[in-house]
Amino acid sequence: MNAKLIWNANASNTAADPKSIIDALKKIGIEPELCQTNSLEDLDLVLEQNEDTVIVAGGDGSLRQVVKRLRGQKTPIILLPLGTANNFAGALGVRRDPFELIAALEQRVERQVDLGILRFNSQEDVFLEGAGVGLFAHAMLSYGEDHGKSVLRALHAISKTIALAPRIQMGFRATLEDNSIEKFSGELSLFEVMNTTALGPRLPLVPSADLSDGLLDLMTIEPDGSSGFLNYAINALTGSLDKLENVTLRRIKEVQLDFSGGALHFDGDSCQLPISHIEFWVEPSAITMIVPQEGSGAVAD
């Protein structure tokens, strides 16, 4: 199998290097062409006329940029997770250690997984993990990446935001799993559309999320002073946020949101919006991932 190895030298895992990764891949019958990219323009050129399998050595952000450029092509992708959170890798069910994963890929299969899409301000983008407004969008703006990535700093930004939970006026119209329509109008502290189980610094918001079910999970939190910061924090960290009375989880195909303005995030990107209309939907089986065959030992920890 021929493949292009997209290498992100800025990924946080320094235990791996291109030569050792290439040697390991060759042992399982994959012949990689090393493509070290320093900019998105470089990535555009590498993938412009690609006919090979693509191997992404990097984090969720690196994978997202590749998926954006390969969208609609069904090009097989292998993810070697070298990032900080690796939420997509966790949802996919692969280990974070790249060499254990490569060894397990000697027995490999293709898996079709879903992609989240959003449209706002006449522009369209994608998300692998989650997108939304409210608590986590505000936290991501507060977190930033000017000083590098840090799970602890991300948790600190989220804890500060939860303590001063925003109250945002919004309304939405969601198409649910059974094609019924649900409408809402009022104040929310969180509106989050999830594709994976975890978000940000490995917060397991929706442990039941499935990358291959053709659906997204919409989590909303209504302002409720009785819940308190400690309840939010404990439930968020233990994957039981939806057990709180003011938290609702819905399985959806699409949702249209009108909100009064504020922070919007899609995966690790965030921006500030005025009064806006945003559409979110799922693109089922949009990505072809190559993963170890079941039982080969490369499972998420």
Side-chain angles (χ1 to χ4, degrees):
M1 175 194 292
N2 294 324
K4 286 185 175 178
L5 172 60
I6 309 296
W7 185 265
N8 179 6
N10 296 319
S12 62
N13 189 330
T14 57
D17 62 86
K19 183 181 185 306
S20 58
I21 291 290
I22 289 171
D23 290 344
L25 288 167
K26 287 183 175 180
K27 288 180 181 178
I28 63 167
I30 298 177
E31 293 294 329
E33 172 193 352
L34 178 61
C35 302
Q36 291 183 298
T37 57
N38 296 315
S39 66
L40 295 180
E41 289 75 17
D42 289 346
L43 189 60
D44 288 336
L45 291 174
V46 168
L47 298 178
E48 187 175 20
Q49 294 181 328
N50 178 68
E51 296 181 356
D52 297 326
T53 295
V54 172
I55 304 172
V56 181
D60 296 326
S62 298
L63 177 63
R64 177 171 165 265
Q65 293 299 335
V66 169
V67 167
K68 284 177 65 172
R69 286 153 177 80
L70 296 179
R71 183 181 168 195
Q73 298 182 31
K74 293 290 187 180
T75 301
I77 300 173
I78 295 173
L79 174 61
L80 301 180
L82 303 181
T84 305
N86 297 317
N87 291 321
F88 190 85
L92 198 59
V94 297
R95 288 187 185 274
R96 291 193 299 272
D97 181 87
F99 297 103
E100 291 179 355
L101 175 56
I102 291 172
L105 283 169
E106 188 164 13
Q107 300 178 57
R108 49 191 179 264
V109 295
E110 290 188 354
R111 179 181 172 187
Q112 307 300 317
V113 299
D114 305 331
L115 180 63
I117 315 294
L118 77 160
R119 182 185 294 125
F120 64 100
N121 289 349
S122 301
Q123 69 181 75
E124 194 170 289
D125 216 313
V126 307
F127 59 96
L128 298 175
E129 303 166 59
V133 303
L135 280 171
F136 291 103
H138 280 73
M140 287 185 178
L141 273 181
S142 173
Y143 166 65
E145 293 187 4
D146 292 342
H147 303 288
K149 293 184 178 180
S150 164
V151 171
L152 288 178
R153 192 160 58 81
L155 286 170
H156 177 64
I158 290 171
S159 67
K160 282 172 54 181
T161 305
I162 289 176
L164 301 170
R167 303 172 70 97
I168 304 173
Q169 187 67 37
M170 65 181 80
F172 67 78
R173 182 182 188 275
T175 302
L176 306 182
E177 180 179 13
D178 61 359
N179 289 319
S180 63
I181 303 296
E182 180 177 347
K183 297 179 181 180
F184 171 90
S185 180
E187 284 189 333
L188 291 176
S189 291
L190 174 82
F191 175 97
E192 194 69 37
V193 183
M194 295 287 293
N195 188 38
T196 56
T197 57
L199 181 70
R202 301 178 195 166
L203 291 177
L205 292 192
V206 189
S208 61
D210 185 342
L211 274 177
S212 302
D213 62 0
L215 298 168
L216 299 169
D217 292 90
L218 171 61
M219 175 176 282
T220 57
I221 298 180
E222 297 183 54
D224 179 6
S226 64
S227 292
F229 164 73
L230 190 58
N231 277 339
Y232 280 128
I234 291 173
N235 283 273
L237 290 170
T238 58
S240 53
L241 197 58
D242 61 317
K243 301 300 187 291
L244 296 176
E245 289 186 2
N246 60 321
V247 178
T248 305
L249 192 61
R250 307 162 178 85
R251 299 173 67 75
I252 66 166
K253 296 180 178 179
E254 62 181 19
V255 59
Q256 298 184 32
L257 171 70
D258 292 289
F259 85 122
S260 58
L264 164 72
H265 91 91
F266 36 105
D267 289 347
D269 287 348
S270 58
C271 60
Q272 194 80 19
L273 293 180
I275 297 174
S276 298
H277 176 79
I278 311 172
E279 300 172 28
F280 307 81
W281 69 94
V282 64
E283 199 168 280
S285 302
I287 315 169
T288 301
M289 301 296 301
I290 296 179
V291 297
Q293 187 173 332
E294 188 173 354
S296 60
V299 296
D301 59 1

